[in-house]
């Protein structure tokens, strides 16, 4: 069953990652996180996929971490197996080479909102609610809700959700910059797909490079992005070819700075 918890499909140049646990409003547990990580790996490696949609099956996008999955863990297991592993998976999403759009056709709460925040863009339907309700049950946002969300939306907006307990409807979330587009009920996937299609028409290498540079400016990643950009540039040079050819021939390379 694990392989069906999260699926990856393609539609032309678009990839579609879908959370498939509708009976639990797509609540995340360890098998779900593993399946999501595997789907993202597949999306990253998919030739010709230039934008990725993240969807939730059923009435909810994602209700967050499954309380039954973590509430019986020891403190050590909760820290390592739950929080740190969840961070790794969410970072994987945030650093996917392709632009990503979260399709919010249902509520995004707690870890579900953190998941949406890890995407580049968010399209939400009018009835959707968003927030970080974790403190109401005595825990805190643990998958970047106090970090990535603050960088992207500002500390005061996150305070209102994580400390003040406010849940924002989609129209309020749009005004605060939490979502990028607001659509009528039932229209999120169509809108997101059309938007992703326009993104996919742009220069793929330039788009990926722009995403990396924005990530550096935002503090999402620095060392890996800098080295990736520099290495990609070097890989196109004649100097690299000269160096590799000389290495294979066991000769001294003649670099031309070309």
């Amino acid at each position: 069953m694990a392989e069906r918890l999260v699926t990856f499909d393609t539609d032309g140049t678009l990839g579609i990652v879908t959370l498939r646990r509708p009976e639990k409003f797509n609540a995340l547990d360890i098998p779900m996180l593993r399946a999501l990580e595997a789907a993202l790996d597949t999306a990253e490696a998919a030739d010709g996929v230039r934008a990725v949609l993240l969807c939730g099956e059923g009435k909810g996008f994602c209700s967050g971490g499954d309380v039954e999955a973590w509430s019986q863990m020891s403190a050590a297991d909760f820290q390592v197996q739950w929080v740190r592993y969840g961070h790794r998976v969410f970072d994987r999403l945030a650093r996917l080479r392709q632009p990503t759009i979260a399709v919010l056709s249902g509520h995004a709460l707690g870890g579900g909102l953190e998941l949406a925040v890890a995407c580049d863009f968010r399209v939400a339907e009018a009835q959707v609610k968003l927030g970080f309700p974790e403190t109401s049950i005595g825990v805190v946002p643990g998958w970047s809700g106090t970090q990535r969300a603050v960088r992207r939306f500002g500390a005061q907006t996150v305070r209102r959700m994580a400390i003040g307990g406010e849940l924002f409807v989609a129209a309020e979330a749009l005004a605060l910059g939490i979502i990028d587009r607001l659509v009528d009920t039932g229209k999120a996937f169509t809108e997101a797909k059309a938007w992703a299609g326009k993104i996919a028409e742009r220069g793929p290498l330039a788009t990926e490079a722009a995403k990396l540079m924005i990530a550096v400016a935002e503090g999402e990643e620095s060392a890996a992005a800098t080295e990736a950009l520099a290495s990609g540039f070097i890989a196109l040079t004649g100097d690299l070819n000269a160096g590799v050819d000389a290495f294979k021939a066991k000769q001294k390379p003649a670099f031309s700075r070309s």
Side-chain angles (χ1 to χ4, degrees):
M1 167 134 183
E3 68 274 7
R4 294 297 303 169
L5 291 174
V6 181
T7 57
F8 175 74
D9 301 287
T10 58
D11 184 351
T13 58
L14 307 183
I16 304 170
V17 174
T18 306
L19 309 178
R20 297 192 181 279
R21 202 185 180 202
E23 73 282 0
K24 297 281 283 187
F25 295 97
N26 299 313
L28 300 169
D29 57 11
I30 296 299
M32 281 280 283
L33 288 171
R34 289 175 179 157
L36 176 58
E37 186 176 32
L40 295 173
D41 287 343
T42 302
E44 180 89 50
D47 290 337
V49 170
R50 296 185 178 179
V52 174
L53 304 181
L54 179 62
C55 310
E57 183 180 9
K59 295 182 179 180
F61 170 73
C62 179
S63 60
D66 188 339
V67 175
E68 294 179 3
W70 59 260
S71 59
Q72 301 302 314
M73 289 183 175
S74 67
D77 286 345
F78 181 71
Q79 177 189 21
V80 176
Q81 296 183 23
W82 187 255
V83 176
R84 293 188 67 179
Y85 180 57
H87 257 277
R88 189 178 90 185
V89 177
F90 282 37
D91 288 349
R92 183 75 180 90
L93 173 60
R95 297 170 187 177
L96 203 69
R97 66 177 176 86
Q98 301 100 330
T100 53
I101 302 176
V103 183
L104 306 182
S105 55
H107 302 330
L109 302 171
L113 179 54
E114 290 169 311
L115 189 65
V117 172
C119 292
D120 296 302
F121 307 106
R122 285 151 293 282
V123 174
E125 296 180 1
Q127 81 282 4
V128 166
K129 293 181 180 180
L130 307 96
F132 293 131
E134 287 92 340
T135 55
S136 67
I137 59 170
V139 294
V140 296
W143 288 334
S144 75
T146 62
Q147 305 299 309
R148 181 177 291 118
V150 167
R151 294 197 301 268
R152 298 195 170 182
F153 312 133
Q156 196 61 23
T157 293
V158 176
R159 281 191 185 97
R160 290 176 64 183
M161 293 187 287
I163 299 175
E166 291 187 59
L167 296 180
F168 296 124
V169 296
E172 295 171 315
L174 179 67
L176 291 166
I178 301 172
I179 64 171
D180 300 285
R181 296 191 180 183
L182 171 63
V183 296
D184 293 335
T185 298
K187 302 292 186 180
F189 183 80
T190 300
E191 175 71 16
K193 183 178 178 182
W195 190 5
K198 292 180 180 179
I199 291 172
E201 293 174 353
R202 307 178 74 84
L205 292 178
T207 298
E208 290 178 24
K211 177 172 176 172
L212 269 174
M213 290 188 291
I214 293 167
V216 172
E218 194 179 39
E220 182 63 56
E221 54 179 327
S222 179
T226 300
E227 291 181 356
L229 288 168
S231 297
F233 166 73
I234 292 298
L236 298 174
T237 65
D239 278 0
L240 175 68
N241 293 330
V244 171
D245 290 344
F247 175 81
K248 292 179 178 178
K250 298 182 179 179
Q251 298 174 351
K252 185 176 180 179
F255 294 123
S256 62
R257 201 173 178 269
S258 63

Short mmCIF file of all heavy atoms in Angstrom, two decimals, residues 146-206:
data_model
loop_
_atom_site.label_atom_id
_atom_site.label_comp_id
_atom_site.label_asym_id
_atom_site.label_seq_id
_atom_site.Cartn_x
_atom_site.Cartn_y
_atom_site.Cartn_z
N THR A 146 8.14 27.80 11.75
CA THR A 146 8.68 29.00 12.40
C THR A 146 9.93 29.50 11.70
O THR A 146 10.53 30.49 12.13
CB THR A 146 9.01 28.75 13.88
OG1 THR A 146 10.03 27.73 13.97
CG2 THR A 146 7.78 28.29 14.64
N GLN A 147 10.35 28.84 10.64
CA GLN A 147 11.59 29.20 9.95
C GLN A 147 11.30 29.61 8.50
O GLN A 147 11.33 30.78 8.16
CB GLN A 147 12.59 28.04 10.02
CG GLN A 147 12.87 27.56 11.45
CD GLN A 147 13.47 28.64 12.34
OE1 GLN A 147 14.45 29.26 11.95
NE2 GLN A 147 12.89 28.86 13.51
N ARG A 148 11.04 28.64 7.65
CA ARG A 148 10.77 28.95 6.24
C ARG A 148 9.54 29.87 6.12
O ARG A 148 9.54 30.81 5.32
CB ARG A 148 10.56 27.66 5.45
CG ARG A 148 10.30 27.90 3.96
CD ARG A 148 10.18 26.58 3.19
NE ARG A 148 11.46 25.89 3.11
CZ ARG A 148 11.70 24.68 3.62
NH1 ARG A 148 10.73 24.03 4.28
NH2 ARG A 148 12.88 24.11 3.49
N ALA A 149 8.51 29.60 6.90
CA ALA A 149 7.30 30.42 6.81
C ALA A 149 7.58 31.86 7.21
O ALA A 149 7.04 32.80 6.60
CB ALA A 149 6.20 29.83 7.68
N VAL A 150 8.42 32.07 8.21
CA VAL A 150 8.78 33.43 8.61
C VAL A 150 9.55 34.13 7.50
O VAL A 150 9.30 35.30 7.19
CB VAL A 150 9.60 33.42 9.92
CG1 VAL A 150 10.24 34.78 10.17
CG2 VAL A 150 8.72 33.03 11.10
N ARG A 151 10.49 33.41 6.88
CA ARG A 151 11.26 34.02 5.78
C ARG A 151 10.35 34.41 4.62
O ARG A 151 10.58 35.43 3.97
CB ARG A 151 12.33 33.04 5.27
CG ARG A 151 13.42 32.73 6.28
CD ARG A 151 14.64 32.12 5.60
NE ARG A 151 14.34 30.88 4.90
CZ ARG A 151 14.43 29.66 5.44
NH1 ARG A 151 14.79 29.53 6.71
NH2 ARG A 151 14.16 28.58 4.72
N ARG A 152 9.33 33.64 4.37
CA ARG A 152 8.50 33.88 3.20
C ARG A 152 7.33 34.84 3.46
O ARG A 152 6.93 35.57 2.56
CB ARG A 152 7.99 32.56 2.63
CG ARG A 152 9.15 31.68 2.16
CD ARG A 152 8.74 30.53 1.29
NE ARG A 152 9.94 29.91 0.71
CZ ARG A 152 9.93 28.89 -0.14
NH1 ARG A 152 8.79 28.37 -0.51
NH2 ARG A 152 11.06 28.40 -0.62
N PHE A 153 6.78 34.83 4.66
CA PHE A 153 5.58 35.62 4.91
C PHE A 153 5.75 36.69 5.98
O PHE A 153 4.86 37.52 6.16
CB PHE A 153 4.41 34.71 5.33
CG PHE A 153 4.22 33.52 4.43
CD1 PHE A 153 4.03 32.26 4.96
CD2 PHE A 153 4.25 33.66 3.05
CE1 PHE A 153 3.85 31.16 4.15
CE2 PHE A 153 4.07 32.57 2.22
CZ PHE A 153 3.88 31.32 2.77
N GLY A 154 6.88 36.66 6.69
CA GLY A 154 7.09 37.62 7.76
C GLY A 154 6.72 37.07 9.12
O GLY A 154 5.80 36.27 9.27
N ALA A 155 7.44 37.54 10.13
CA ALA A 155 7.27 37.01 11.49
C ALA A 155 5.89 37.30 12.06
O ALA A 155 5.31 36.46 12.75
CB ALA A 155 8.36 37.58 12.40
N GLN A 156 5.33 38.48 11.78
CA GLN A 156 4.07 38.84 12.42
C GLN A 156 2.93 37.96 11.93
O GLN A 156 2.06 37.54 12.73
CB GLN A 156 3.74 40.31 12.19
CG GLN A 156 2.67 40.85 13.12
CD GLN A 156 3.06 40.76 14.59
OE1 GLN A 156 4.25 40.71 14.93
NE2 GLN A 156 2.07 40.71 15.45
N THR A 157 2.93 37.65 10.65
CA THR A 157 1.89 36.77 10.12
C THR A 157 1.98 35.39 10.76
O THR A 157 0.95 34.80 11.13
CB THR A 157 2.04 36.65 8.59
OG1 THR A 157 1.74 37.92 8.00
CG2 THR A 157 1.08 35.61 8.02
N VAL A 158 3.20 34.88 10.91
CA VAL A 158 3.37 33.57 11.54
C VAL A 158 3.02 33.63 13.01
O VAL A 158 2.43 32.69 13.56
CB VAL A 158 4.80 33.05 11.31
CG1 VAL A 158 5.03 31.73 12.05
CG2 VAL A 158 5.07 32.87 9.82
N ARG A 159 3.34 34.73 13.70
CA ARG A 159 2.93 34.90 15.10
C ARG A 159 1.42 34.77 15.24
O ARG A 159 0.92 34.14 16.18
CB ARG A 159 3.37 36.27 15.64
CG ARG A 159 4.83 36.39 16.02
CD ARG A 159 5.06 37.69 16.79
NE ARG A 159 6.48 37.86 17.07
CZ ARG A 159 7.31 38.59 16.34
NH1 ARG A 159 6.85 39.24 15.27
NH2 ARG A 159 8.59 38.69 16.66
N ARG A 160 0.71 35.40 14.34
CA ARG A 160 -0.76 35.38 14.43
C ARG A 160 -1.29 33.96 14.31
O ARG A 160 -2.29 33.61 14.97
CB ARG A 160 -1.36 36.27 13.34
CG ARG A 160 -1.12 37.75 13.56
CD ARG A 160 -1.64 38.59 12.40
NE ARG A 160 -3.09 38.48 12.26
CZ ARG A 160 -3.79 39.07 11.29
NH1 ARG A 160 -3.15 39.81 10.38
NH2 ARG A 160 -5.10 38.93 11.23
N MET A 161 -0.63 33.13 13.53
CA MET A 161 -1.08 31.75 13.37
C MET A 161 -0.56 30.84 14.49
O MET A 161 -1.33 30.10 15.12
CB MET A 161 -0.64 31.21 12.01
CG MET A 161 -1.32 31.87 10.82
SD MET A 161 -0.93 31.07 9.23
CE MET A 161 0.77 31.60 8.98
N ALA A 162 0.76 30.88 14.74
CA ALA A 162 1.39 29.92 15.65
C ALA A 162 1.19 30.28 17.12
O ALA A 162 1.10 29.38 17.96
CB ALA A 162 2.88 29.81 15.34
N ILE A 163 1.12 31.58 17.44
CA ILE A 163 0.94 32.01 18.83
C ILE A 163 -0.50 32.45 19.09
O ILE A 163 -1.11 32.08 20.08
CB ILE A 163 1.92 33.15 19.18
CG1 ILE A 163 3.37 32.67 19.02
CG2 ILE A 163 1.68 33.65 20.60
CD1 ILE A 163 4.41 33.76 19.21
N GLY A 164 -1.03 33.25 18.16
CA GLY A 164 -2.39 33.75 18.33
C GLY A 164 -3.47 32.76 17.97
O GLY A 164 -4.63 32.94 18.33
N GLY A 165 -3.09 31.69 17.26
CA GLY A 165 -4.06 30.65 16.93
C GLY A 165 -5.03 31.00 15.82
O GLY A 165 -6.04 30.32 15.63
N GLU A 166 -4.73 32.05 15.05
CA GLU A 166 -5.65 32.44 13.98
C GLU A 166 -5.59 31.46 12.80
O GLU A 166 -4.51 31.03 12.40
CB GLU A 166 -5.31 33.85 13.47
CG GLU A 166 -5.59 34.95 14.46
CD GLU A 166 -5.39 36.33 13.87
OE1 GLU A 166 -6.07 36.64 12.86
OE2 GLU A 166 -4.56 37.09 14.39
N LEU A 167 -6.75 31.15 12.28
CA LEU A 167 -6.86 30.43 11.01
C LEU A 167 -7.34 31.42 9.97
O LEU A 167 -8.33 32.12 10.17
CB LEU A 167 -7.86 29.26 11.12
CG LEU A 167 -7.51 28.12 12.07
CD1 LEU A 167 -8.62 27.07 12.03
CD2 LEU A 167 -6.17 27.50 11.72
N PHE A 168 -6.64 31.51 8.87
CA PHE A 168 -7.00 32.45 7.83
C PHE A 168 -7.77 31.76 6.72
O PHE A 168 -7.37 30.68 6.25
CB PHE A 168 -5.75 33.09 7.23
CG PHE A 168 -4.96 33.93 8.21
CD1 PHE A 168 -3.62 33.66 8.45
CD2 PHE A 168 -5.55 34.98 8.88
CE1 PHE A 168 -2.88 34.42 9.34
CE2 PHE A 168 -4.83 35.76 9.79
CZ PHE A 168 -3.49 35.47 10.02
N VAL A 169 -8.86 32.37 6.29
CA VAL A 169 -9.52 31.89 5.09
C VAL A 169 -8.69 32.35 3.90
O VAL A 169 -7.83 33.22 4.01
CB VAL A 169 -10.97 32.40 4.99
CG1 VAL A 169 -11.80 31.85 6.13
CG2 VAL A 169 -11.01 33.92 4.96
N ALA A 170 -8.96 31.77 2.74
CA ALA A 170 -8.10 31.99 1.58
C ALA A 170 -7.99 33.47 1.22
O ALA A 170 -6.91 33.93 0.84
CB ALA A 170 -8.61 31.17 0.41
N ALA A 171 -9.08 34.22 1.29
CA ALA A 171 -9.02 35.64 0.93
C ALA A 171 -8.08 36.39 1.85
O ALA A 171 -7.32 37.27 1.40
CB ALA A 171 -10.42 36.25 0.97
N GLU A 172 -8.11 36.08 3.15
CA GLU A 172 -7.18 36.71 4.09
C GLU A 172 -5.75 36.29 3.80
O GLU A 172 -4.80 37.10 3.86
CB GLU A 172 -7.55 36.34 5.53
CG GLU A 172 -8.89 36.87 5.99
CD GLU A 172 -9.31 36.29 7.33
OE1 GLU A 172 -9.17 35.07 7.52
OE2 GLU A 172 -9.77 37.06 8.18
N ALA A 173 -5.58 35.00 3.49
CA ALA A 173 -4.24 34.48 3.19
C ALA A 173 -3.66 35.14 1.95
O ALA A 173 -2.45 35.40 1.87
CB ALA A 173 -4.30 32.96 3.00
N LEU A 174 -4.51 35.46 0.96
CA LEU A 174 -4.05 36.14 -0.24
C LEU A 174 -3.54 37.54 0.11
O LEU A 174 -2.48 37.97 -0.34
CB LEU A 174 -5.18 36.23 -1.26
CG LEU A 174 -4.84 36.95 -2.57
CD1 LEU A 174 -3.82 36.16 -3.38
CD2 LEU A 174 -6.11 37.17 -3.40
N ALA A 175 -4.28 38.25 0.94
CA ALA A 175 -3.89 39.61 1.33
C ALA A 175 -2.59 39.62 2.10
O ALA A 175 -1.82 40.58 2.02
CB ALA A 175 -5.01 40.25 2.16
N LEU A 176 -2.31 38.54 2.84
CA LEU A 176 -1.10 38.44 3.64
C LEU A 176 0.08 37.85 2.86
O LEU A 176 1.18 37.76 3.39
CB LEU A 176 -1.37 37.58 4.88
CG LEU A 176 -2.30 38.21 5.93
CD1 LEU A 176 -2.75 37.15 6.92
CD2 LEU A 176 -1.60 39.37 6.63
N GLY A 177 -0.18 37.43 1.62
CA GLY A 177 0.88 36.86 0.81
C GLY A 177 1.15 35.39 1.07
O GLY A 177 2.12 34.84 0.55
N ILE A 178 0.31 34.72 1.85
CA ILE A 178 0.51 33.31 2.14
C ILE A 178 0.20 32.47 0.90
O ILE A 178 0.85 31.45 0.64
CB ILE A 178 -0.36 32.86 3.32
CG1 ILE A 178 -0.01 33.67 4.57
CG2 ILE A 178 -0.16 31.37 3.61
CD1 ILE A 178 -0.94 33.43 5.74
N ILE A 179 -0.82 32.87 0.17
CA ILE A 179 -1.12 32.21 -1.11
C ILE A 179 -0.90 33.23 -2.23
O ILE A 179 -0.85 34.45 -1.99
CB ILE A 179 -2.55 31.65 -1.16
CG1 ILE A 179 -3.58 32.77 -1.08
CG2 ILE A 179 -2.75 30.61 -0.07
CD1 ILE A 179 -5.01 32.33 -1.35
N ASP A 180 -0.78 32.73 -3.45
CA ASP A 180 -0.50 33.59 -4.59
C ASP A 180 -1.72 33.83 -5.46
O ASP A 180 -1.83 34.89 -6.09
CB ASP A 180 0.61 32.96 -5.45
CG ASP A 180 1.88 32.78 -4.66
OD1 ASP A 180 2.57 33.78 -4.42
OD2 ASP A 180 2.18 31.63 -4.27
N ARG A 181 -2.63 32.86 -5.50
CA ARG A 181 -3.84 33.03 -6.31
C ARG A 181 -5.03 32.43 -5.57
O ARG A 181 -4.91 31.38 -4.93
CB ARG A 181 -3.69 32.37 -7.68
CG ARG A 181 -2.60 33.02 -8.54
CD ARG A 181 -2.63 32.54 -9.98
NE ARG A 181 -1.58 33.17 -10.76
CZ ARG A 181 -1.40 32.99 -12.06
NH1 ARG A 181 -2.21 32.19 -12.74
NH2 ARG A 181 -0.42 33.61 -12.70
N LEU A 182 -6.15 33.11 -5.67
CA LEU A 182 -7.41 32.69 -5.05
C LEU A 182 -8.41 32.38 -6.15
O LEU A 182 -8.62 33.19 -7.06
CB LEU A 182 -7.93 33.81 -4.15
CG LEU A 182 -9.34 33.66 -3.56
CD1 LEU A 182 -9.41 32.45 -2.64
CD2 LEU A 182 -9.73 34.93 -2.83
N VAL A 183 -9.04 31.19 -6.06
CA VAL A 183 -10.00 30.79 -7.09
C VAL A 183 -11.26 30.25 -6.43
O VAL A 183 -11.28 29.96 -5.23
CB VAL A 183 -9.40 29.71 -8.03
CG1 VAL A 183 -8.21 30.27 -8.80
CG2 VAL A 183 -8.99 28.47 -7.25
N ASP A 184 -12.29 30.10 -7.23
CA ASP A 184 -13.54 29.54 -6.72
C ASP A 184 -13.38 28.06 -6.38
O ASP A 184 -12.47 27.38 -6.87
CB ASP A 184 -14.65 29.68 -7.77
CG ASP A 184 -15.03 31.13 -8.02
OD1 ASP A 184 -14.84 31.97 -7.12
OD2 ASP A 184 -15.52 31.42 -9.14
N THR A 185 -14.27 27.58 -5.55
CA THR A 185 -14.25 26.17 -5.16
C THR A 185 -14.29 25.27 -6.40
O THR A 185 -15.10 25.48 -7.31
CB THR A 185 -15.46 25.87 -4.26
OG1 THR A 185 -15.36 26.66 -3.08
CG2 THR A 185 -15.48 24.39 -3.87
N GLY A 186 -13.40 24.29 -6.41
CA GLY A 186 -13.34 23.35 -7.51
C GLY A 186 -12.45 23.77 -8.66
O GLY A 186 -12.31 23.02 -9.64
N LYS A 187 -11.82 24.96 -8.57
CA LYS A 187 -11.04 25.50 -9.69
C LYS A 187 -9.53 25.48 -9.46
O LYS A 187 -8.77 25.88 -10.35
CB LYS A 187 -11.47 26.94 -9.96
CG LYS A 187 -12.95 27.12 -10.29
CD LYS A 187 -13.32 26.50 -11.62
CE LYS A 187 -14.76 26.83 -12.00
NZ LYS A 187 -15.15 26.24 -13.31
N ALA A 188 -9.06 25.03 -8.30
CA ALA A 188 -7.64 25.16 -7.99
C ALA A 188 -6.76 24.37 -8.94
O ALA A 188 -5.73 24.87 -9.41
CB ALA A 188 -7.38 24.74 -6.54
N PHE A 189 -7.13 23.13 -9.21
CA PHE A 189 -6.27 22.31 -10.07
C PHE A 189 -6.19 22.89 -11.48
O PHE A 189 -5.10 22.96 -12.07
CB PHE A 189 -6.78 20.87 -10.12
CG PHE A 189 -5.89 19.96 -10.93
CD1 PHE A 189 -4.72 19.44 -10.39
CD2 PHE A 189 -6.21 19.65 -12.25
CE1 PHE A 189 -3.89 18.62 -11.15
CE2 PHE A 189 -5.39 18.83 -13.01
CZ PHE A 189 -4.22 18.31 -12.46
N THR A 190 -7.32 23.31 -12.01
CA THR A 190 -7.34 23.88 -13.37
C THR A 190 -6.47 25.13 -13.44
O THR A 190 -5.68 25.31 -14.39
CB THR A 190 -8.78 24.23 -13.79
OG1 THR A 190 -9.56 23.03 -13.76
CG2 THR A 190 -8.81 24.82 -15.18
N GLU A 191 -6.59 26.01 -12.43
CA GLU A 191 -5.79 27.23 -12.41
C GLU A 191 -4.31 26.92 -12.26
O GLU A 191 -3.47 27.49 -12.98
CB GLU A 191 -6.25 28.12 -11.25
CG GLU A 191 -5.42 29.37 -11.03
CD GLU A 191 -5.62 30.41 -12.12
OE1 GLU A 191 -6.62 30.29 -12.89
OE2 GLU A 191 -4.80 31.35 -12.22
N ALA A 192 -3.98 26.01 -11.35
CA ALA A 192 -2.58 25.67 -11.13
C ALA A 192 -1.96 25.01 -12.35
O ALA A 192 -0.81 25.28 -12.70
CB ALA A 192 -2.46 24.75 -9.91
N LYS A 193 -2.74 24.16 -13.00
CA LYS A 193 -2.22 23.48 -14.19
C LYS A 193 -1.95 24.49 -15.31
O LYS A 193 -0.92 24.40 -16.01
CB LYS A 193 -3.22 22.42 -14.66
CG LYS A 193 -2.72 21.60 -15.85
CD LYS A 193 -3.74 20.54 -16.25
CE LYS A 193 -3.26 19.77 -17.48
NZ LYS A 193 -4.26 18.76 -17.92
N ALA A 194 -2.84 25.44 -15.49
CA ALA A 194 -2.64 26.45 -16.52
C ALA A 194 -1.41 27.30 -16.20
O ALA A 194 -0.61 27.63 -17.11
CB ALA A 194 -3.88 27.33 -16.65
N TRP A 195 -1.25 27.67 -14.95
CA TRP A 195 -0.10 28.47 -14.52
C TRP A 195 1.20 27.68 -14.72
O TRP A 195 2.17 28.19 -15.27
CB TRP A 195 -0.28 28.88 -13.06
CG TRP A 195 0.70 29.90 -12.57
CD1 TRP A 195 1.65 30.56 -13.29
CD2 TRP A 195 0.80 30.36 -11.23
NE1 TRP A 195 2.35 31.42 -12.48
CE2 TRP A 195 1.84 31.33 -11.21
CE3 TRP A 195 0.12 30.08 -10.05
CZ2 TRP A 195 2.22 31.99 -10.03
CZ3 TRP A 195 0.49 30.74 -8.88
CH2 TRP A 195 1.52 31.68 -8.87
N ALA A 196 1.18 26.42 -14.30
CA ALA A 196 2.37 25.58 -14.46
C ALA A 196 2.72 25.40 -15.93
O ALA A 196 3.90 25.35 -16.31
CB ALA A 196 2.13 24.21 -13.81
N GLY A 197 1.68 25.32 -16.79
CA GLY A 197 1.92 25.19 -18.23
C GLY A 197 2.65 26.40 -18.79
O GLY A 197 3.55 26.27 -19.64
N LYS A 198 2.29 27.60 -18.32
CA LYS A 198 2.98 28.81 -18.77
C LYS A 198 4.43 28.84 -18.26
O LYS A 198 5.34 29.26 -18.98
CB LYS A 198 2.22 30.04 -18.28
CG LYS A 198 0.87 30.22 -18.95
CD LYS A 198 0.15 31.46 -18.45
CE LYS A 198 -1.21 31.64 -19.13
NZ LYS A 198 -1.93 32.83 -18.62
N ILE A 199 4.63 28.38 -17.02
CA ILE A 199 6.00 28.31 -16.48
C ILE A 199 6.84 27.35 -17.31
O ILE A 199 8.00 27.60 -17.62
CB ILE A 199 5.96 27.87 -15.01
CG1 ILE A 199 5.34 28.97 -14.13
CG2 ILE A 199 7.36 27.51 -14.51
CD1 ILE A 199 5.08 28.56 -12.70
N ALA A 200 6.22 26.23 -17.71
CA ALA A 200 6.94 25.20 -18.46
C ALA A 200 7.36 25.66 -19.84
O ALA A 200 8.26 25.07 -20.45
CB ALA A 200 6.06 23.94 -18.58
N GLU A 201 6.74 26.72 -20.34
CA GLU A 201 7.10 27.25 -21.66
C GLU A 201 8.35 28.13 -21.61
O GLU A 201 8.93 28.44 -22.65
CB GLU A 201 5.93 28.06 -22.23
CG GLU A 201 4.70 27.23 -22.56
CD GLU A 201 3.53 28.08 -22.98
OE1 GLU A 201 3.65 29.34 -22.90
OE2 GLU A 201 2.49 27.52 -23.39
N ARG A 202 8.76 28.52 -20.43
CA ARG A 202 9.92 29.39 -20.29
C ARG A 202 11.20 28.57 -20.39
O ARG A 202 11.17 27.34 -20.33
CB ARG A 202 9.85 30.15 -18.96
CG ARG A 202 8.52 30.89 -18.78
CD ARG A 202 8.43 31.60 -17.44
NE ARG A 202 9.26 32.79 -17.43
CZ ARG A 202 8.89 33.98 -17.90
NH1 ARG A 202 7.68 34.12 -18.44
NH2 ARG A 202 9.68 35.02 -17.85
N GLY A 203 12.32 29.24 -20.56
CA GLY A 203 13.59 28.53 -20.68
C GLY A 203 13.85 27.67 -19.45
O GLY A 203 13.96 28.22 -18.34
N PRO A 204 13.94 26.36 -19.59
CA PRO A 204 14.05 25.49 -18.42
C PRO A 204 15.32 25.72 -17.61
O PRO A 204 15.28 25.75 -16.36
CB PRO A 204 14.00 24.07 -19.00
CG PRO A 204 14.36 24.23 -20.44
CD PRO A 204 13.88 25.57 -20.85
N LEU A 205 16.46 25.90 -18.27
CA LEU A 205 17.70 26.11 -17.53
C LEU A 205 17.70 27.46 -16.84
O LEU A 205 18.15 27.58 -15.69
CB LEU A 205 18.91 25.98 -18.46
CG LEU A 205 19.16 24.57 -19.01
CD1 LEU A 205 20.34 24.58 -19.98
CD2 LEU A 205 19.41 23.58 -17.88
N ALA A 206 17.21 28.48 -17.53
CA ALA A 206 17.13 29.81 -16.91
C ALA A 206 16.17 29.79 -15.72
O ALA A 206 16.44 30.42 -14.68
CB ALA A 206 16.67 30.83 -17.95
#
